[in-house]
Amino acid sequence: MKRFLLTTFLLLFSVHAFTTVALKINMITSQDTKKLIDDVAKSLLSLLPADVYLQLSVDGSITFTSPLEIEKEEWYELTFSATYDATQERFDTVWVENNRRVYSCSYSKKEQRLYSEFIRECSHYPLEKASLWLLKNNRFDKYLRITYHPSVDEYASFSPDGKYFAFITDRLSGNRNIALLDLTEGKIDILPISGSSEYFPRFSPDGKRIAFQGSLHGFWNIYAMPLENYSKNILLISAGNSPAYCPNWYDENTILYVQDTETSNALYSATLARKRTKMNLPIQFDMVFSPVAYRGTVYFVGLKDSDFGIYALTPDGTVATIENSFFNEHDPAISPDGRYLAYSCNSTGYYTIWIKDLLTQEKWCITRDIPHDAFYPSFSADGKLIAFSVYEGSYEPDIWFAKFTPASSSLQAGSVPGQ
């Protein structure tokens, strides 16, 4: 293990240049857990964010220290230990911080899940803790990965006051739940709904509610719930037995969504009083998806002749083509000022996140340096961050953030189609 850590030290020497948060980790081994401890250490080192300082010890002896001698603004001291039950062929592991058990997980050789997923679960806790500190304190450069658990972490939504960030995770018992990240505290809370799986959480414009796609009634419906006492105040929005999906808010009292029909699907709007309206489009699409509204204009994905593009239903009832290239465009998101469109596109040979200036028509890719599929972009309330999901190889997706610098043009957002 020391030979591996020394090699990693040399490899990382030219990479690390700046850091503000530090992890001080002591790993406790036994004869039966040496390989496990070594594998977790390798995982930590391979995934460590660039701006995080690490001091790693094994049984009290320092085996790795990040090659930087600068002031650390925050130290997190943690202990990781593992035991092995030969009768059950099971590993039990635990993270301890401030003499308190903060995370534990187990793995049996009889399980169907991969050992590599267990190793990632073991290493995720300190990595997420450090990354969330970097996010909370704005101490990162271009990109920041904020989730490291081997579970599904995808679909992003910022609250309009900038305090919360919602996404979907199945790290709790394997069921997809809404997770709520407090951006001011750097803490993740999971909001489970008994008997349901959730997708596409979306904050209302006033920040009081979350709309989502769920299976509470046995098939896909659209729901809304408040942040306070959420489980006792879940409101069914859609109607009928046909699947409903892709919710988003039109205004603080109205939700847009898509629902299957006998031959295709259609856009719908529904008030919180559950007055539902099918939205008729003047152009025929094979299917539609992912509505998002900005000041009366509804942007959506339209499928025509096996080609996905992004369109806009304007307040005067016309449909404008926003982005429809030779490739496929998905997941539209509009910046808070209405000027920029973020979307996913496979023009690079895999899906990356793109930005389009709706005034100048300029386009650029913001995830070109991430060699994996990326989907579901979302702008922060101040427009300075874009969150998205990255799908790394055979692993489940994780949430990443990118800093966004708008164009310096003096043109006004009022020139955007439909504004």
Side-chain angles (χ1 to χ4, degrees):
M1 179 173 179
K2 290 184 178 179
R3 181 180 300 172
F4 166 78
L5 294 175
L6 177 60
T7 302
T8 306
F9 175 95
L10 296 174
L11 289 173
L12 293 178
F13 186 85
S14 61
V15 176
H16 286 250
F18 177 78
T19 185
T20 54
V21 61
L23 294 172
K24 186 176 181 180
I25 296 175
N26 183 38
M27 311 185 83
I28 300 174
T29 65
S30 66
Q31 186 63 38
D32 294 326
T33 62
K34 285 184 178 180
K35 182 181 183 305
L36 169 63
I37 295 295
D38 185 50
D39 289 340
V40 174
K42 291 177 183 178
S43 179
L44 286 168
L45 288 167
S46 66
L47 296 171
L48 188 71
D51 296 328
V52 174
Y53 179 93
L54 175 63
Q55 178 182 299
L56 186 61
S57 301
V58 176
D59 297 325
S61 298
I62 297 175
T63 56
F64 174 84
T65 302
S66 296
L68 290 169
E69 290 300 329
I70 65 172
E71 181 180 355
K72 294 84 178 175
E73 295 185 29
E74 184 78 42
W75 277 96
Y76 293 129
E77 297 190 25
L78 303 105
T79 299
F80 178 77
S81 60
T83 58
Y84 181 68
D85 184 334
T87 303
Q88 300 295 324
E89 296 184 285
R90 188 183 71 192
F91 289 102
D92 294 294
T93 68
V94 62
W95 284 99
V96 174
E97 184 177 14
N98 298 325
N99 297 316
R100 182 173 64 91
R101 292 167 62 101
V102 291
Y103 191 82
S104 61
C105 58
S106 301
Y107 172 78
S108 171
K109 296 179 180 179
K110 301 175 183 179
E111 292 183 22
Q112 292 185 350
R113 73 163 172 165
L114 298 175
Y115 174 75
S116 59
E117 292 183 358
F118 170 60
I119 295 302
R120 282 219 172 180
E121 183 176 2
C122 289
S123 62
H124 91 279
Y125 180 81
L127 295 171
E128 287 190 359
K129 192 174 184 68
S131 291
L132 292 176
W133 189 95
L134 294 174
L135 176 65
K136 179 180 68 172
N137 293 279
N138 192 28
R139 300 299 175 85
F140 68 99
D141 185 17
K142 189 175 182 179
Y143 304 118
L144 180 65
R145 177 178 174 178
I146 67 165
T147 64
Y148 290 84
H149 197 282
S151 66
V152 169
D153 293 313
E154 61 183 349
Y155 309 133
S157 180
F158 290 89
S159 65
D161 61 1
K163 183 178 180 180
Y164 293 111
F165 174 79
F167 63 98
I168 293 299
T169 184
D170 68 352
R171 62 179 68 189
L172 183 65
S173 303
N175 191 58
R176 292 183 182 235
N177 297 295
I178 297 172
L180 201 61
L181 166 60
D182 188 325
L183 295 170
T184 61
E185 298 293 333
K187 179 184 177 183
I188 297 175
D189 289 317
I190 298 177
L191 311 180
I193 298 175
S194 179
S196 176
S197 292
E198 292 77 58
Y199 288 71
F200 299 109
R202 297 288 184 260
F203 280 101
S204 60
D206 59 9
K208 296 180 179 179
R209 297 177 177 86
I210 293 179
F212 60 93
Q213 172 187 327
S215 59
L216 187 59
H217 291 83
F219 50 90
W220 294 123
N221 276 300
I222 305 303
Y223 300 89
M225 68 183 190
L227 295 183
E228 299 291 335
N229 297 317
Y230 72 93
S231 61
K232 298 179 180 179
N233 295 282
I234 298 173
L235 180 65
L236 174 63
I237 299 296
S238 56
N241 296 327
S242 298
Y245 40 92
C246 298
N248 225 316
W249 293 85
Y250 182 80
D251 57 37
E252 63 186 37
N253 292 307
T254 308
I255 297 174
L256 303 171
Y257 60 95
V258 178
Q259 188 160 17
D260 284 353
T261 63
E262 291 184 359
T263 58
S264 181
N265 68 2
L267 288 174
Y268 286 82
S269 68
T271 66
L272 294 178
R274 290 182 284 191
K275 181 180 179 181
R276 306 174 184 93
T277 303
K278 182 179 179 181
M279 302 171 66
N280 295 314
L281 300 174
I283 297 177
Q284 182 66 41
F285 291 91
D286 298 331
M287 298 191 81
V288 292
F289 303 94
S290 308
V292 56
Y294 182 83
R295 293 187 180 177
T297 295
V298 178
Y299 298 84
F300 63 94
V301 173
L303 172 63
K304 291 197 301 183
D305 301 323
S306 301
D307 178 49
F308 291 92
I310 296 174
Y311 301 84
L313 176 64
T314 64
D316 63 8
T318 61
V319 170
T321 300
I322 303 301
E323 182 62 24
N324 185 25
S325 68
F326 173 78
F327 301 95
N328 290 322
E329 292 82 25
H330 297 273
D331 312 323
I334 304 298
S335 62
D337 63 0
R339 175 168 175 172
Y340 298 96
L341 167 73
Y343 61 99
S344 61
C345 179
N346 62 344
S347 59
T348 58
Y350 56 97
Y351 278 93
T352 49
I353 304 301
W354 285 75
I355 303 295
K356 182 172 185 176
D357 187 327
L358 297 177
L359 299 179
T360 67
Q361 305 303 304
E362 179 186 8
K363 296 181 289 186
W364 64 97
C365 178
I366 66 168
T367 62
R368 194 177 297 275
D369 297 331
I370 301 175
H372 307 291
D373 286 330
F375 296 94
Y376 311 117
S378 177
F379 284 94
S380 62
D382 60 7
K384 295 180 179 180
L385 296 172
I386 297 178
F388 49 91
S389 301
V390 172
Y391 295 68
E392 177 194 350
S394 60
Y395 289 102
E396 297 288 5
D398 282 292
I399 301 292
W400 288 57
F401 280 56
K403 289 189 174 180
F404 176 63
T405 303
S408 58
S409 171
S410 62
L411 293 172
Q412 297 300 309
S415 302
V416 174
Q419 306 302 307

